[in-house]
Amino acid sequence: MNNFYNTEHSRTAPQLWRRWLSGMAAGVLALAAVQAFAQPMALTPVKISPHVYYFHGHTGMADPVNQGFMSNAGFVVTPDGVVVFDALGTPALGEAMLRAIRTVTQQPVRRVIVSHYHADHFYGLQAFKAAGAEVWAHEHGRQYLSSDTAPSRLAQRKADLKPWVNDQTRLVPADRWLRFDADKTIRFTLGGVRFRVLDMSAAHSPDDIMLAVDDDKVLFAGDLFFTGRIPFVGEADSRVWLGALDDMLKIAPAVVVPGHGEVSRKPMKDLELTRSYLLHLRRAMGEAVADMVPFEEAYQKTDWKAFASYPAFVQANRINAYQTYLLMERESLQAK
């Protein structure tokens, strides 16, 4: 009896210990969430050119500690109003953006341009709609809002980012769905400041767009450009993405605001992390597909040390590799 008890206890004690630690961690996160919710987040606008400011999100993935603030957004102040690029990942963050913008200017927000319909970039839109702003987005964003993925992702965010994403959170469609012609550019001017909306669709997502502020030589790149962290590739077409990076450099911006990470004043140099990572994924997974090596074996054999120390590697790399493996399979079949 004692031997049985001791054996069973040695088996279950580590499990119970892990459960206790997991429960404690969850409790700490929940307490942090409650305490943080009691104080609305204050965002700090960072000025990067005469007209342009941006908000720098935290490194890593969305969680209750950072309240979903893990992506970048920005705004452009003109004499006739404000143009905003992206709305961050919760309605509360959208409201915090508005409060921060009002510390810089009392000009109304005329327009919000959405880089793409991923949760961390557009869940704050409802705050801007309530303030009277017009929302612009790529026409392909309609596909996401009408898909099964949109409500599923919202349900996940409600669980992961409660109370900042809740039953009052709405998925806001664009007021103007942008349709691009052959030159993939829509130009407009507000308050004498010249803008270009650039079609980069089907790279990181089906509805990618960038915003160039020509007078300031600033480019809002959305999630086509990451600095200092591993990009989230997901179901992106990395071949198209690499072409979009080349197109980005042709614009020759002095400053690039990435979707995640520090603002870049050396785009050519800072672009290399995103480029080299995508190329590494394609090369490793492409060779595995060509040699008919199963994904699990290919993943274990691949040398990831060049990227393993970067933020978001643990959370994103495996799914990035798996989706790239599937992409390389499709490319292989298309080539036959």
Side-chain angles (χ1 to χ4, degrees), residues 51-115:
H51 299 95
V52 180
Y53 299 75
Y54 94 114
F55 300 105
H56 179 209
H58 296 282
T59 300
M61 310 299 279
D63 61 35
V65 175
N66 61 36
Q67 301 180 33
F69 181 36
M70 37 68 72
S71 59
N72 297 337
F75 62 98
V76 185
V77 179
T78 85
D80 291 338
V82 177
V83 176
V84 169
F85 189 80
D86 277 345
L88 297 179
T90 70
L93 286 171
E95 292 169 0
M97 283 181 66
L98 278 168
R99 290 194 299 270
I101 290 169
R102 288 176 184 136
T103 67
V104 173
T105 178
Q106 292 302 306
Q107 289 284 352
V109 175
R110 302 288 187 192
R111 188 168 299 151
V112 182
I113 297 174
V114 181
S115 65

Side-chain angles (χ1 to χ4, degrees), residues 192-215:
V193 180
R194 296 171 299 158
F195 297 84
R196 281 180 293 155
V197 184
L198 306 167
D199 179 10
M200 295 289 177
S201 56
H204 173 75
S205 74
D207 54 323
D208 297 305
I209 56 178
M210 300 191 304
L211 178 67
V213 187
D214 288 330
D215 296 281

Side-chain angles (χ1 to χ4, degrees), residues 131-212:
E134 181 182 51
V135 177
W136 286 15
H138 197 291
E139 63 176 343
H140 293 166
R142 287 174 171 171
Q143 300 169 11
Y144 175 80
L145 290 182
S146 62
S147 71
D148 293 335
T149 303
S152 174
R153 183 62 165 158
L154 177 58
Q156 180 190 30
R157 286 297 217 206
K158 286 179 181 179
D160 293 346
L161 288 178
K162 184 180 180 180
W164 300 281
V165 178
N166 54 38
D167 289 340
Q168 283 70 54
T169 303
R170 296 184 294 107
L171 305 186
V172 177
D175 299 296
R176 179 180 173 187
W177 293 108
L178 302 178
R179 178 171 295 180
F180 293 84
D181 55 22
D183 75 348
K184 296 187 175 184
T185 303
I186 294 174
R187 293 172 173 82
F188 70 93
T189 301
L190 183 66
V193 180
R194 296 171 299 158
F195 297 84
R196 281 180 293 155
V197 184
L198 306 167
D199 179 10
M200 295 289 177
S201 56
H204 173 75
S205 74
D207 54 323
D208 297 305
I209 56 178
M210 300 191 304
L211 178 67

Side-chain angles (χ1 to χ4, degrees), residues 156-311:
Q156 180 190 30
R157 286 297 217 206
K158 286 179 181 179
D160 293 346
L161 288 178
K162 184 180 180 180
W164 300 281
V165 178
N166 54 38
D167 289 340
Q168 283 70 54
T169 303
R170 296 184 294 107
L171 305 186
V172 177
D175 299 296
R176 179 180 173 187
W177 293 108
L178 302 178
R179 178 171 295 180
F180 293 84
D181 55 22
D183 75 348
K184 296 187 175 184
T185 303
I186 294 174
R187 293 172 173 82
F188 70 93
T189 301
L190 183 66
V193 180
R194 296 171 299 158
F195 297 84
R196 281 180 293 155
V197 184
L198 306 167
D199 179 10
M200 295 289 177
S201 56
H204 173 75
S205 74
D207 54 323
D208 297 305
I209 56 178
M210 300 191 304
L211 178 67
V213 187
D214 288 330
D215 296 281
D216 290 35
K217 294 185 178 180
V218 173
L219 179 69
F220 287 99
D223 277 3
L224 292 166
F225 189 5
F226 289 67
T227 60
R229 59 155 282 180
I230 294 301
F232 175 71
V233 178
E235 298 181 1
D237 188 327
S238 52
R239 180 167 55 184
V240 177
W241 192 340
L242 287 164
L245 294 180
D246 292 335
D247 291 340
M248 189 186 305
L249 292 178
K250 292 175 186 176
I251 299 167
V255 182
V256 175
V257 180
H260 300 263
E262 295 281 354
V263 68
S264 172
R265 296 187 182 275
K266 297 179 179 178
M268 181 72 77
K269 177 179 178 292
D270 293 338
L271 201 74
E272 188 54 32
L273 173 59
T274 301
R275 184 196 298 279
S276 62
Y277 180 66
L278 294 178
L279 288 171
H280 188 69
L281 285 173
R282 289 181 61 83
R283 182 167 52 251
M285 297 301 104
E287 289 174 358
V289 168
D291 295 338
M292 301 184 70
V293 178
F295 170 73
E296 291 293 339
E297 182 180 344
Y299 188 81
Q300 294 301 321
K301 287 183 175 179
T302 300
D303 183 358
W304 301 109
K305 66 175 177 291
F307 307 100
S309 63
Y310 283 101

Side-chain angles (χ1 to χ4, degrees), residues 3-40:
N3 288 339
F4 174 81
Y5 172 80
N6 290 335
T7 300
E8 289 304 299
H9 182 72
S10 66
R11 290 175 181 170
T12 58
Q15 296 174 355
L16 292 171
W17 178 247
R18 285 193 296 271
R19 288 176 186 172
W20 184 82
L21 287 176
S22 177
M24 285 292 292
V28 169
L29 285 175
L31 179 60
V34 170
Q35 291 175 337
F37 189 65
Q39 297 180 344

